[in-house]
């Protein structure tokens, strides 16, 4: 009999302090790339009670008002009321930025980040913006080819923010966390064991009322289109301490890049350790992680594996990956060495090639000045609510056809 076990993933809402920082960082990135697609950006944000600090390294021809951007994003998230302890129009916003290190910049040629088709030799001239390892993952547990626990945790977190903003549950405040435990038998999800929601709220609202309202307005709608649903045996926990009034940056400090597991696969797959938000696409922590997801998703979509994890590694200033590993955990339909050959043949994994394949430097301008800020909350992968180029399964049929001929 296959082994039974439990796996848990968590997510947070856009009002969580760390996610506030991610979104401000990527709002800055969007604004800079929209004006100057060759901008070099490593924007870091810190928030605390009454304070936003914008720091990091930026080299750009763009002219933006960082303070105005931060306040507008805070207001969009929902920090507009002073009694939350943190409000967009009254917090202090400090800016302490440097230019990108010339030692890093020398390894990254910015002259060719356009839609123009470049030769292989030209692509080799633009190296990675840093060394590092990146992982991409996909599995057939959900239609979007994501692990079920993180898919559900993100879905519930997004719905929690939606009912807050619409006023359907009008006592909610911006900060919140979700967590879902799924019971597995072998590789197959068989039950929703536990759903946990911790949400900031106005004073005077009882735990019992919040639990009843969230079951009706958040949990049940989130499972409406899914075959696997909560049952009477599913444990539903809401604000386990009883009260969650003080939250957001008033309750905890926040920092860009502290929710990297939520950003990716909820711990179900490995993670290279690099954060995404605030980094321009020459930083392979971001762009190569997107490319690795694209590879893994197309392999699973082609039916060549039930699970697929792709690892890439890079050296600063060097265009071609130092290593490529394709792992299918015993679920592959063809030999992994042959899968690796197909990946090398059909996927562009050099930094400038990735940028051009996904049009990463031009997307903020093409989409009205915002793109990266929209993936800065609720996950960078498996997003059916956004048109993300690395989520396309545009190479699945080609892989399937060539694999059949091997």
């Amino acid at each position: 009999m296959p082994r039974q076990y439990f796996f848990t993933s968590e997510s947070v809402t856009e009002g969580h302090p760390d996610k506030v920082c991610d979104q401000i960082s990527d709002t800055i990135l969007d604004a800079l790339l929209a004006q100057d697609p060759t901008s070099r950006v490593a924007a870091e944000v810190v928030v605390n009670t009454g304070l936003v600090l914008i720091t990091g390294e930026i080299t750009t021809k763009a002219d933006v008002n960082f303070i105005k951007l931060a306040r507008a994003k805070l207001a969009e998230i929902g920090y507009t009321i002073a009694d939350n302890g943190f409000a967009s129009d009254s917090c202090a916003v400090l800016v302490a930025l440097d230019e990108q290190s010339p030692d890093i910049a020398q390894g990254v040629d910015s002259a060719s980040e356009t839609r123009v088709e470049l030769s292989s030799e030209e692509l080799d001239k633009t190296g990675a913006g840093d060394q590092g390892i990146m992982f991409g993952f996909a599995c057939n547990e959900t239609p979007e080819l994501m692990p079920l626990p993180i898919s559900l945790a993100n879905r519930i977190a997004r719905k929690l923010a939606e009912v807050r903003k619409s006023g359907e549950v009008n006592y909610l405040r911006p900060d919140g966390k979700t967590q879902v435990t799924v019971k597995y038998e072998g590789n197959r999800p068989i039950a929703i064991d536990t759903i946990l929601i911790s949400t900031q709220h106005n004073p005077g609202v009882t735990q019992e009322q919040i639990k009843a309202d969230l079951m009706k307005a958040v949990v049940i709608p989130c499972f409406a289109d899914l075959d696997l649903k909560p049952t009477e045996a599913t444990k539903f926990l809401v604000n386990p301490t009883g009260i969650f009034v003080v939250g957001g940056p008033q309750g905890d400090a926040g920092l860009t890049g502290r929710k990297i597991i939520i950003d990716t696969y909820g711990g179900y797959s490995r993670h290279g350790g690099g954060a995404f938000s605030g980094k321009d696409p020459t930083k392979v922590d971001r762009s190569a992680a997107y490319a690795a997801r694209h590879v893994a998703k197309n392999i699973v979509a082609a039916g060549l594996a039930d699970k697929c994890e792709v690892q890439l590694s890079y050296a600063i200033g060097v265009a071609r990956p130092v290593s490529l590993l394709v792992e299918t955990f015993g679920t592959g339909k063809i030999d992994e060495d042959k899968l690796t050959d197909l990946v090398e043949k059909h996927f562009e994994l050099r930094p400038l090639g990735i940028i051009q394949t996904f049009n990463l430097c031009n997307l903020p301008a093409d989409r009205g000045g915002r793109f990266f800020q929209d993936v800065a909350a609720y996950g960078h992968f498996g997003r059916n609510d956004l048109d993300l180029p690395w989520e396309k399964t545009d190479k699945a049929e080609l892989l399937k056809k060539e694999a059949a001929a091997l």
Side-chain angles (χ1 to χ4, degrees):
M1 180 177 177
R3 175 190 174 211
Q4 292 190 349
Y5 59 94
F6 299 90
F7 194 89
T8 303
S9 293
E10 70 158 347
S11 185
V12 297
T13 66
E14 62 209 65
H16 185 281
D18 294 329
K19 273 292 148 208
V20 168
C21 295
D22 286 343
Q23 290 167 94
I24 294 174
S25 293
D26 275 339
T27 297
I28 290 169
L29 176 65
D30 278 341
L32 295 173
L33 289 178
Q35 290 188 35
D36 176 13
T38 66
S39 296
R40 292 287 170 264
V41 185
E44 310 286 352
V45 174
V46 182
V47 297
N48 204 340
T49 303
L51 173 67
V52 176
L53 171 63
I54 300 170
T55 187
E57 299 79 41
I58 292 175
T59 301
T60 185
K61 301 182 187 72
D63 181 16
V64 302
N65 186 323
F66 297 107
I67 295 174
K68 186 176 180 181
L69 287 174
R71 294 194 189 281
K73 177 52 69 174
L74 290 171
E76 179 186 311
I77 292 168
Y79 285 109
T80 57
I81 304 172
D83 65 6
N84 280 341
F86 186 87
S88 60
D89 61 353
S90 60
C91 65
V93 183
L94 306 181
V95 180
L97 292 166
D98 293 320
E99 290 196 347
Q100 184 185 53
S101 162
D103 295 335
I104 295 175
Q106 68 181 341
V108 184
D109 175 15
S110 65
S112 301
E113 289 160 36
T114 69
R115 295 184 180 88
V116 177
E117 190 72 26
L118 298 178
S119 68
S120 181
E121 291 75 16
E122 288 171 312
L123 292 176
D124 277 333
K125 292 179 181 178
T126 299
D130 200 354
Q131 71 176 53
I133 59 174
M134 301 86 210
F135 288 93
F137 183 78
C139 63
N140 59 10
E141 292 181 12
T142 62
E144 65 272 25
L145 304 184
M146 287 287 286
L148 183 59
I150 187 63
S151 177
L152 291 174
N154 279 330
R155 181 185 283 220
I156 292 169
R158 194 161 62 243
K159 186 65 174 178
L160 185 61
E162 181 185 312
V163 300
R164 169 179 62 86
K165 290 182 172 183
S166 70
E168 183 178 353
V169 184
N170 60 11
Y171 52 78
L172 298 179
R173 290 182 174 181
D175 196 359
K177 302 181 78 171
T178 64
Q179 188 169 286
V180 178
T181 300
V182 175
K183 185 178 182 180
Y184 284 80
E185 186 174 86
N187 289 324
R188 185 171 63 92
I190 62 171
I192 309 301
D193 181 79
T194 305
I195 299 170
L196 166 60
I197 301 177
S198 295
T199 181
Q200 188 185 16
H201 58 87
N202 290 341
V205 186
T206 66
Q207 187 181 30
E208 291 73 20
Q209 181 183 350
I210 298 171
K211 186 172 183 178
D213 289 345
L214 295 190
M215 174 57 76
K216 178 181 177 182
V218 175
V219 174
I220 292 175
C222 280
F223 285 87
D225 62 336
L226 301 178
D227 294 332
L228 193 63
K229 302 180 188 296
T231 67
E232 291 183 357
T234 301
K235 297 180 283 292
F236 182 40
L237 307 176
V238 173
N239 289 359
T241 62
I243 297 175
F244 185 5
V245 172
V246 179
Q250 184 187 22
D252 288 295
L255 181 65
T256 296
R258 270 206 309 217
K259 289 293 178 281
I260 57 176
I261 301 302
I262 292 170
D263 284 342
T264 53
Y265 308 102
Y268 196 100
S269 170
R270 286 173 285 196
H271 193 291
F276 299 160
S277 290
K279 296 178 180 178
D280 74 80
T282 66
K283 278 70 169 177
V284 282
D285 278 339
R286 176 168 225 153
S287 55
Y290 294 165
R293 162 66 175 172
H294 185 236
V295 172
K297 186 173 185 182
N298 275 271
I299 289 172
V300 174
L304 302 182
D306 297 333
K307 292 184 179 182
C308 181
E309 183 181 79
V310 175
Q311 188 205 45
L312 299 170
S313 68
Y314 292 84
I316 188 169
V318 178
R320 294 182 183 271
V322 174
S323 67
L324 163 66
L325 173 66
V326 179
E327 170 63 64
T328 60
F329 308 97
T331 70
K333 313 309 178 188
I334 65 172
D335 186 82
E336 287 168 343
D337 289 339
K338 293 178 180 178
L339 269 180
T340 301
D341 291 340
L342 289 175
V343 171
E344 291 177 333
K345 180 179 179 181
H346 293 295
F347 291 87
E348 177 55 68
L349 299 175
R350 287 169 288 186
L352 184 54
I354 296 169
I355 290 169
Q356 291 198 320
T357 297
F358 298 146
N359 197 27
L360 292 177
C361 289
N362 295 295
L363 280 173
D366 290 351
R367 301 197 183 181
R370 62 182 297 156
F371 175 74
F372 290 107
Q373 61 191 281
D374 290 332
V375 294
Y378 312 116
H380 292 243
F381 306 120
R383 297 291 297 274
N384 291 333
D385 59 318
L386 300 172
D387 179 20
L388 304 179
W390 54 86
E391 289 295 308
K392 297 183 184 302
T393 54
D394 49 343
K395 293 186 182 290
E397 284 303 315
L398 177 61
L399 294 176
K400 188 176 183 179
K401 180 179 179 181
E402 293 210 5
L406 293 175

